[in-house]
Amino acid sequence: MLQPRFAWILNHTQRAEKQSAYQVLVASSLDSLNQDRGDQWDSTRVVSDNSTQVVYGGKALESGRTYFWKVRYWDKEMRVSRYSPTASFEMGLLSKTEWKGQWITGSELRKEFRATGRIKRARLYITARGYYEVHLNGERVGENVLDPAWTDFHKRVLYSTYDVTRQLHGGDNAVGVRLGGGWATLGTGMLGGKPYYPRPALLLQLNIELDDGGQTSVVSDGSWKSGRGPILSDSVYDGEIYDARLETPGWDSAGYDDSAWSAAEILQGWDGILSAQMMPPIRAVGSVTPVRMTSPKPRVFVFDMGQNISGWAHLRVNGPAGTEVTLRFGEVVYPDGSLNTENLRQAKQREVYILSGKGDETYEPHFTYHGFRFIEVTGFPGTPGLDSILGRVVHTSVKTIGRFAASKPILNDLQRLIWWTQITNLFSIPTDCNQRDEREGWMGDAQLSAEEAMMNFDMAAFYTNFIRDMRDELGPDGSLPETVPEKFGHRPADPGWGTAYPLICWYMWEQYGDRRILEENYEGLQRYLNFLRGRAPDNVLRFNFNGDWIATVETPGEIISDAYFYYDIKILKNIAAVLGKTADEREYTELADRVKVAFNRNCFDSKTEEYASGTETANAMALFLNLVPEKEIGPVSFHLEKDLLDYHHLHLTTGIIGTKYLMPALTATGRSDMAYDLAIQTTYPSWGYMIENGATTLWELWQEKNRAMMNSHDHPALGSVGAWLYRALGGINLGAGAEGYNHIRIEPQMVEDLHWASATISTIRGVVSTSWTHVNGRATLSAIIPVNGDAEIVLTKDMQFSDVTLSGATTLIFQAMPGSRMCGARATASS
């Protein structure tokens, strides 16, 4: 990225403060910056309240260079702050021509080289078509695993950068790399599909700067040596077979005898794009200790981790050479305690470790991961103890930024399930599941869980990458596949899946104020919308493949597709407005009006006053998207409530799509109490039913049993309710026209027997937090709003407030709903 962007969080001791101006300094050295000299860029004093997404405007930035920056700001009284602490950023390789190496292949690859001086600075740039593990001088480099991220390897490959200055030394050095197939060579699974390539490949460049000013590079080429390693096979779905007897100590150090190794094979013909991997890497971020071990059959041991996780096992074992220990992974067990792997379909999810026989041994796999709660161990020499197995939690290492808690324990359980489900399905792309022979970037699942994900985690860089993945897969005709990266040829996408492209772009604007995303993708979004328009000659989009996936009452697919068609048009209209494209905005406004008329003509039954067959999904989507004519809002809302109460006894019948819109639709029409009842319901179908039946992550289906071959027990699609927890019960909402939480609407729904709730989101502007209590008809509310933002506080209807505490430098507008009263309440400020 030639023009990086800057953001900062403001602190101030007084309320209602705003930034009136800022100054950014960017320097090529710490010395310059410490002298307040921005030799690379001095923005000078810029009159603006913008504290996010500030675009670099200085001299051209150079490949491989580190730059230092700081910022100061002026408040509304024109008082200037001190400069912020120094931060830094580093540029990658900005041109493909700077890559001097060649793609090579082999199992284990090594290269010795000599540094003829003292090392001043060293950077390792590395990628693979597949996965890599890199070592320097006998030590592993970095903490990344399952690297690089999965992309369409024919079109784009991501590379990582490591500071290896301290791992090198003057004299002889050695670099060693193991390669795994990863997604590049995977061609199995229920959905079929061909592998991108038959073998993994490596591209590496090590740039070294010496104290005397000299520079040298080590690159992947035909001078590397290739040898056989202990990894006999590896597969994302099937796991790894590792023979410790084939380990070759010292293979990654200088002086190793590699005379029996062969020359690495050079691979030609790749002409894709090399891009820096800008999102957080996949890492092993923690461990889970088993809560129990059972033995359902002789010599078969099953470890229960107590939590469904993504990752692998750490094995501790001691035994004779050649002993084979097999670990199989699954989410559930049969009634007799034995491992149930029916829902894995063709995925083996297993490791085989062959002992070296050299005393105490430990093992973790290198190029695979699993979704599991239970681990079956067979072939173990003797009887294992609980400490023989440790669960390793692995996923893209995004930061948790959201917290929600409430007085009703089941809501805390629901938040915990949503958190675990989302985080364990982040593997450089948002996956639908993490265990069976799928683990795809299904776009329907991605768009439905995106808002919840952005409230719980810092997803800005992650979704920036995924949006580029979607743009890479955009067809010449404007079509998108249902899975991104596209591997299995499901094209065109069902409109409820393809809408991930416009929706997630728009969420990036709302949550982070990311204008660049809108600019970079506007033409692509127009192409996608034109693809839909070409299939809606009468302003009704009729093609649909998936319907409301896993709903217990089916909704006609046509109404879902047509509703999303309208939604996509409205998003394009909004984006055009942000970008100042007034002609486009006018065109999309008029098109949306025509589609709305056609939607109601085609889908609304004036006799029954419902949409389509009157399903919860049909009525909820129409209400949420403002497709319902003003005079029909009351009747449609009434029939939605009647369906829930009279026909289904406060149970939802929606699938993954309808569920996304049902809860906010009920809240918007004044029935947050009914949405709350759905959230705490414990009988089938409900989230509480999953919790009552021992779930620690969300299921794919509302029911656990039946259709066992399909039911993933770690599936984020039904986690969209997480956004409702923050917005409705926590009360944290974006205000009208908001971007990046500059305008906030605090409107907690204090429902029934919920006595308190609190929610916190560390936004791009700073912490937004609410906490309220409601006891015996009297309520208190506390809110924290970031500096440079403003908030509207909406008091709940029929609620008597005894105390309102406001923290943060912000402008606050109180709006009392009919029936609400401020009884001796006070507003207090604190920094």
Side-chain angles (χ1 to χ4, degrees):
M1 190 63 64
L2 301 180
Q3 289 184 291
R5 291 168 294 174
F6 302 91
W8 50 90
I9 294 175
L10 305 175
N11 292 298
H12 207 287
T13 58
Q14 297 180 26
R15 182 178 300 142
E17 273 297 344
K18 293 277 188 178
Q19 173 186 289
S20 62
Y22 67 82
Q23 181 180 15
V24 176
L25 299 181
V26 180
S28 58
S29 69
L30 269 176
D31 286 342
S32 293
L33 195 68
N34 289 339
Q35 297 172 40
D36 295 342
R37 288 194 300 109
D39 63 338
Q40 200 67 29
W41 182 40
D42 183 345
S43 71
T44 67
R45 183 175 174 274
V46 179
V47 177
S48 171
D49 65 354
N50 186 15
S51 59
T52 68
Q53 314 292 345
V54 174
V55 179
Y56 175 80
K59 300 175 184 177
L61 300 169
E62 299 178 16
S63 286
R65 289 290 302 273
T66 300
Y67 297 94
F68 306 89
W69 74 282
K70 60 185 178 181
V71 64
R72 62 177 176 173
Y73 79 99
W74 285 259
D75 63 17
K76 69 179 184 181
E77 285 81 22
M78 303 304 296
R79 294 172 297 200
V80 65
S81 71
R82 290 179 292 182
Y83 275 110
S84 67
T86 297
S88 66
F89 63 93
E90 185 170 319
M91 304 302 289
L93 300 181
L94 302 180
S95 169
K96 191 174 180 179
T97 60
E98 296 179 77
W99 286 87
K100 306 303 181 184
Q102 298 170 291
W103 288 98
I104 60 176
T105 189
S107 175
E108 287 191 347
L109 296 156
R110 69 183 309 272
K111 167 78 174 180
E112 292 196 22
F113 59 95
R114 186 170 182 80
T116 58
R118 186 170 180 176
I119 310 296
K120 177 182 178 181
R121 185 177 188 272
R123 293 295 186 270
L124 177 66
Y125 305 98
I126 184 171
T127 189
R129 299 196 305 249
Y131 291 141
Y132 69 84
E133 181 181 291
V134 60
H135 296 236
L136 270 175
N137 293 328
E139 294 182 358
R140 181 170 173 174
V141 176
E143 299 178 355
N144 298 7
V145 298
L146 307 180
D147 211 47
W150 180 13
T151 54
D152 185 330
F153 293 109
H154 294 313
K155 299 176 181 177
R156 186 186 304 271
V157 174
L158 306 185
Y159 69 88
S160 294
T161 304
Y162 298 93
D163 180 352
V164 294
T165 307
R166 294 184 178 181
Q167 286 185 253
L168 296 180
H169 51 254
D172 294 331
N173 295 266
V175 56
V177 179
R178 283 178 173 147
L179 289 179
W183 290 99
T185 64
L186 188 67
T188 60
M190 182 273 293
L191 298 177
K194 297 180 180 179
Y196 295 99
Y197 300 100
R199 292 172 293 172
L202 168 72
L203 184 64
L204 177 148
Q205 183 162 320
L206 173 59
N207 289 348
I208 303 170
E209 299 176 20
L210 303 174
D211 269 350
D212 62 6
Q215 297 184 0
T216 187
S217 293
V218 177
V219 301
S220 52
D221 57 23
S223 67
W224 284 55
K225 290 293 195 72
S226 174
R228 180 186 181 188
I231 300 176
L232 304 184
S233 69
D234 65 271
S235 164
V236 173
Y237 292 156
D238 294 341
E240 185 172 287
I241 301 176
Y242 187 97
D243 190 342
R245 297 171 300 179
L246 301 179
E247 291 176 338
T248 52
W251 72 280
D252 52 1
S253 299
Y256 175 78
D257 182 6
D258 60 9
S259 58
W261 291 36
S262 58
E265 181 181 352
I266 298 174
L267 300 176
Q268 306 285 358
W270 187 79
D271 193 33
I273 300 170
L274 284 167
S275 299
Q277 186 164 290
M278 302 288 285
M279 63 180 164
I282 300 173
R283 287 181 172 167
V285 299
S287 300
V288 176
T289 302
V291 295
R292 67 181 62 84
M293 181 190 76
T294 60
S295 181
K297 299 176 184 177
R299 309 303 308 153
V300 176
F301 305 96
V302 176
F303 290 79
D304 180 0
M305 312 311 295
Q307 172 65 51
N308 216 12
I309 65 172
S310 57
W312 52 68
H314 177 91
L315 172 68
R316 296 176 64 245
V317 64
N318 187 314
T323 302
E324 294 189 10
V325 178
T326 300
L327 284 68
R328 294 200 305 144
F329 300 80
E331 296 183 301
V332 291
V333 292
Y334 289 111
D336 67 354
S338 59
L339 193 69
N340 180 343
T341 60
E342 290 180 50
N343 69 331
L344 302 183
R345 297 188 301 222
Q346 297 178 27
K348 293 180 181 178
Q349 276 220 140
R350 62 90 179 90
E351 258 79 77
V352 178
Y353 179 71
I354 304 172
L355 276 65
S356 68
K358 298 178 181 178
D360 292 337
E361 302 179 45
T362 60
Y363 166 71
E364 293 185 23
H366 304 77
F367 302 125
T368 188
Y369 76 95
H370 314 293
F372 65 98
R373 173 176 171 173
F374 299 93
I375 305 173
E376 177 197 85
V377 178
T378 56
F380 193 93
T383 301
L386 272 181
D387 61 350
S388 299
I389 290 288
L390 193 65
R392 298 286 280 148
V393 181
V394 180
H395 52 72
T396 296
S397 51
V398 294
K399 179 183 177 181
T400 296
I401 63 165
R403 295 284 189 274
F404 172 83
S407 60
K408 198 78 168 179
I410 195 171
L411 294 175
N412 301 324
D413 292 337
L414 177 56
Q415 168 66 8
R416 176 174 50 82
L417 263 64
I418 293 168
W419 189 95
W420 272 105
T421 306
Q422 186 65 68
I423 198 71
T424 55
N425 276 284
L426 299 180
F427 277 84
S428 78
I429 61 168
T431 61
D432 63 322
C433 60
N434 59 20
Q435 71 299 99
R436 67 184 180 215
D437 54 349
E438 199 167 340
R439 313 183 201 185
E440 298 289 310
W442 285 98
M443 300 233 285
D445 305 60
Q447 64 98 350
L448 293 166
S449 61
E451 284 187 291
E452 160 269 305
M454 291 182 187
M455 294 176 182
N456 280 309
F457 306 101
D458 181 355
M459 300 293 289
F462 184 94
Y463 280 131
T464 297
N465 184 79
F466 188 60
I467 288 169
R468 184 176 60 187
D469 289 340
M470 289 190 276
R471 189 170 70 243
D472 282 350
E473 301 293 14
L474 194 66
D477 62 351
S479 68
L480 284 164
E482 292 204 319
T483 62
V484 170
E486 182 181 16
K487 186 173 176 63
F488 300 109
H490 288 254
R491 183 189 289 264
D494 181 295
W497 275 241
T499 194
Y501 189 28
L503 265 180
I504 297 178
C505 284
W506 184 245
Y507 294 156
M508 290 288 285
W509 169 254
E510 290 187 319
Q511 294 290 320
Y512 307 116
D514 195 334
R515 181 186 177 93
R516 180 176 287 174
I517 284 286
L518 306 185
E519 294 170 340
E520 291 178 341
N521 290 277
Y522 187 69
E523 187 270 337
L525 292 169
Q526 286 185 304
R527 286 168 56 197
Y528 173 66
L529 185 59
N530 288 338
F531 169 80
L532 298 181
R533 292 178 73 174
R535 284 150 182 78
D538 55 355
N539 292 317
V540 176
L541 188 64
R542 291 185 166 87
F543 84 91
N544 185 280
F545 315 120
N546 301 326
D548 189 10
W549 193 255
I550 66 95
T552 60
V553 174
E554 292 188 11
T555 297
E558 180 178 299
I559 192 172
I560 297 171
S561 292
D562 209 28
Y564 273 121
F565 183 36
Y566 176 79
Y567 201 180
D568 292 343
I569 297 167
K570 295 288 284 186
I571 290 171
L572 262 292
K573 187 269 290 184
N574 292 340
I575 293 174
V578 170
L579 299 182
K581 299 180 181 294
T582 54
D584 288 351
E585 180 186 4
R586 183 167 54 251
E587 176 189 349
Y588 293 135
T589 299
E590 293 170 356
L591 176 60
D593 290 343
R594 295 195 299 272
V595 170
K596 182 174 182 177
V597 170
F599 178 87
N600 281 283
R601 182 179 62 244
N602 188 58
C603 302
F604 184 69
D605 187 330
S606 59
K607 294 181 180 179
T608 64
E609 298 177 311
E610 296 177 293
Y611 284 88
S613 52
T615 65
E616 295 171 12
T617 293
N619 288 330
M621 286 194 78
L623 287 166
F624 178 87
L625 296 175
N626 295 317
L627 279 162
V628 184
E630 185 71 27
K631 66 177 183 178
E632 304 292 353
I633 292 176
V636 173
S637 301
F638 170 78
H639 286 293
L640 175 60
E641 297 165 19
K642 183 177 178 64
D643 182 85
L644 283 163
L645 283 169
D646 295 352
Y647 301 148
H648 300 289
H649 309 292
L650 277 176
H651 289 83
L652 31 66
T653 61
T654 50
I656 60 175
I657 287 175
T659 300
K660 164 78 174 176
Y661 305 109
L662 177 61
M663 306 293 277
L666 288 170
T667 303
T669 54
R671 293 312 306 267
S672 56
D673 58 330
M674 188 173 288
Y676 171 73
D677 287 337
L678 294 175
I680 64 172
Q681 179 64 260
T682 59
T683 55
Y684 170 82
S686 66
W687 296 282
Y689 177 77
M690 301 181 196
I691 295 168
E692 290 290 306
N693 282 273
T696 61
T697 46
L698 296 172
W699 301 340
E700 178 181 16
L701 308 176
W702 290 116
Q703 71 270 32
E704 179 183 25
K705 299 186 171 82
N706 302 325
R707 299 177 72 185
M709 290 289 286
M710 177 186 158
N711 196 5
S712 155
H713 282 68
D714 197 336
H715 226 81
L718 290 172
S720 59
V721 66
W724 181 83
L725 295 178
Y726 280 98
R727 286 178 175 156
L729 301 186
I732 299 176
N733 297 272
L734 293 168
E739 42 95 3
Y741 288 88
N742 59 341
H743 306 304
I744 302 164
R745 181 180 173 93
I746 303 297
E747 188 177 5
Q749 304 298 308
M750 302 183 181
V751 292
E752 300 180 20
D753 62 343
L754 193 63
H755 300 306
W756 60 264
S758 64
T760 298
I761 304 175
S762 296
T763 76
I764 194 169
R765 293 181 188 275
V767 171
V768 177
S769 184
T770 62
S771 179
W772 58 264
T773 64
H774 165 211
V775 181
N776 298 325
R778 299 183 70 87
T780 65
L781 170 65
S782 176
I784 299 174
I785 309 299
V787 180
N788 221 27
D790 57 63
E792 178 183 27
I793 309 293
V794 181
L795 303 182
T796 308
K797 181 180 180 181
D798 298 326
M799 190 60 57
Q800 183 172 301
F801 282 84
S802 58
D803 184 59
V804 177
T805 302
L806 308 169
S807 247
T810 182
T811 300
L812 294 142
I813 303 169
F814 282 93
Q815 176 184 338
M817 298 294 286
S820 63
R821 291 175 291 166
M822 291 288 290
C823 298
R826 66 183 187 276
T828 59
S830 62
S831 58

